[in-house]
Each structure stands twice: as C-alpha cells, then as structure tokens.
C-alpha cells in the first residue's frame, strides 16, 4: 500500500487530497515539521523532519515523502504528478501534451506564486501581523502576486479548469498553493474567476475529506 510520510497540516495535504480523488488507499505516517515541536531532537520526541529514521528516507528533511512500490519520492508536486500519471483517471493526463501542461501550471504555481502566498499565510492569515514591518512584508508579497494572479485569472475567465476542460491534478496543485493567499480579501477581490474556480475545487468531496482530517490534527 502507498505510504505517505507527513502530517496533514503540511504539504502532504496535496497528496492526501489526490488520494481521495483517485480512491487510492494509503497509510499515513504522521511525521511532523521539526519547527512545530519544542525539542525535535529530544529522546522520545514524536517522529519529525529531524528524526534520523526520516532523514535516512529523505535527506532533504521535509514532508511529504511517499513510498510507492519501492519508489521513495519527495517534493509534493513531483508526488502528485507521479500518482496522477500512474493511476490515469480523468484527474491525470490523457496524453503527453496534457502531461506537459499539468507540469507547466504546477511549476508556475510553485515558482511564481507559492513563496509570496506562503508569506501571506504565515503573517496575514494567521493574524500574527505584529508591527509595521510585517504589514510591509505582506503588502509587498501581495503586490508581487498581482502579476501571476492576472495570468491565472485570464486563463480561468475563459476555461473552467487549468487543463483539458476538467478538474485535474494541475488544479489541485494550484488550488493548494492559492489557498495560502485566499484569506487576503483585498488581494483576491479583483480576481472573480480565481475565486469561483477555487471555491469549485474546495467544494469537491475529496478536498473536504482531506480538510476534515487536517482540522482533526492539533494546530
Ligand atoms: N518543495 C517542497 C517543500 C517541502 C516543505 O518545505 N515541507 C515543510 C512542511 S509543509 C517541511 O517539511 N518543513 C520541515 C522543516 O522545516 O523542518 C514540497 O513541495 O514538498
């Protein structure tokens, strides 16, 4: 059976959402981010991204990691693209062109959107804006996001989904990245097509199953 290392409150959420889309059974090993626990290196600490056993599996020391029939794979987007390709339902590519486009949108999300969207998640959405410096950092992140969000908006204004006119792994990857910025109302307001698409993605039973599991984990 597929093994997923990583708590659901991590980028493992992407892999877990996909498994629900694919009806793919999995076993989850709840490896937690080292920075989220008081002393990650203490004897008896829960399995975390500094644990020697985990580092032996994945020297990068980050979740998610999967074990799939002998293949050990890290990087959430490599994992979701691999599983979608392998299990070949409508969520995955039907031909090489679709495969390429799913990679294109996933990597555009990871490179042009995710870093600034994460800044917004960390400082804005969690209500931890401490001072003018934090507010300035968030404002700059939001400013930098306008250009890539315009690209996404223009595409989604004329296509219901990113690739092939149906929900695919490309939407899943991008929606999980966009979720980080979703709470910034002023940033999202000029992008109605993105808001409608994100809402459709998050309305899916497979997303809701992942989200329920995520909420059940301690913050
Ligand atoms: N690009 C990687 C990033 C992985 C990553 O940074 N994961 C975080 C959790 S979402 C992590 O494991 N951090 C562990 C740590 O910093 O100790 C991916 O998409 O999988």
């Amino acid at each position: 059976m597929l093994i997923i290392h990583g708590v659901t409150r991590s980028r493992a959420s992407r892999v877990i959402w996909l498994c629900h889309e694919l009806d793919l059974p999995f076993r989850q090993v709840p490896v937690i981010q080292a920075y989220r626990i008081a002393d990650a290196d203490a004897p008896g600490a829960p399995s975390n991204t500094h644990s020697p056993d985990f580092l032996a599996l994945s020297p990068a020391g980050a979740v998610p990691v999967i074990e799939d029939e002998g293949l050990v794979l890290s990087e959430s987007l490599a994992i979701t693209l691999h599983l979608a390709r392998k299990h070949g339902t409508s969520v995955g590519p039907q031909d090489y062109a679709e495969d390429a486009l799913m990679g294109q949108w996933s990597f555009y999300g990871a490179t042009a959107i995710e870093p600034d969207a994460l800044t917004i998640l960390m400082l804005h959405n969690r209500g931890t804006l401490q001072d003018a410096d934090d507010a300035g950092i968030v404002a700059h992140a939001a400013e930098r996001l306008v250009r890539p969000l315009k690209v996404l908006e223009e595409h989604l204004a004329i296509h219901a989904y990113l690739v092939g006119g149906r929900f695919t792994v490309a939407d899943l990857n991008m929606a999980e990245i966009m979720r980080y910025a979703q709470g910034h109302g002023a940033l999202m307001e000029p992008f109605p097509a993105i808001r409608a698409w994100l809402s459709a993605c998050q309305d899916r039973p497979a997303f809701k199953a992942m989200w329920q599991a995520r909420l059940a984990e301690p913050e």
Side-chain angles (χ1 to χ4, degrees):
M1 182 187 292
L2 175 70
I3 302 175
I4 302 173
H5 298 262
V7 290
T8 314
R9 287 183 186 270
S10 76
R11 290 176 178 86
S13 61
R14 301 167 184 183
V15 185
I16 291 162
W17 177 2
L18 181 66
C19 285
H20 289 301
E21 292 285 354
L22 297 172
D23 274 328
L24 189 61
F26 62 91
R27 180 163 74 78
Q28 186 174 7
V29 182
V31 177
I32 191 167
Q33 297 93 328
Y35 65 81
R36 290 180 56 202
I37 50 182
D39 187 356
D41 302 318
S47 175
N48 66 78
T49 49
H50 284 183
S51 301
D53 284 2
F54 179 70
L55 288 172
L57 192 67
S58 180
V63 288
V65 174
I66 62 163
E67 293 180 73
D68 183 21
E69 297 183 303
L71 171 70
V72 176
L73 192 62
S74 58
E75 285 298 324
S76 59
L77 302 180
I79 296 170
T80 53
L81 290 168
H82 157 70
L83 290 175
R85 244 178 239 129
K86 178 173 172 180
H87 295 281
T89 67
S90 66
V91 171
Q94 307 299 302
D95 56 35
Y96 286 117
E98 283 197 357
D99 191 27
L101 288 169
M102 289 173 193
Q104 173 203 284
W105 283 112
S106 301
F107 300 132
Y108 188 59
T111 55
I113 301 177
E114 185 167 57
D116 288 316
L118 256 180
T119 299
I120 288 174
L121 177 74
M122 295 301 178
L123 295 177
H124 179 277
N125 296 6
R126 292 200 176 145
T128 51
L129 274 187
Q130 307 282 350
D131 50 32
D133 282 353
D134 283 356
I137 292 168
V138 167
H140 280 120
E143 228 172 80
R144 277 190 300 266
L145 281 173
V146 169
R147 188 159 169 245
L149 294 202
K150 274 187 181 155
V151 173
L152 195 53
E153 176 74 14
E154 278 168 22
H155 186 83
L156 290 171
I158 47 175
H159 302 93
Y161 292 102
L162 292 176
V163 179
R166 64 185 193 282
F167 176 86
T168 71
V169 66
D171 299 288
L172 185 155
N173 287 338
M174 186 67 90
E176 276 297 90
I177 291 168
M178 278 305 304
R179 178 165 61 75
Y180 301 155
Q182 186 175 12
H184 193 308
L187 169 66
M188 298 299 292
E189 201 278 330
F191 301 115
I194 298 181
R195 285 190 274 114
W197 159 84
L198 195 50
S199 161
C201 291
Q202 293 175 346
D203 225 19
R204 298 178 67 81
F207 172 85
K208 289 181 178 165
M210 176 280 285
W211 194 250
Q212 223 174 1
R214 191 179 160 99
L215 293 179
E217 286 182 357
E219 276 194 48

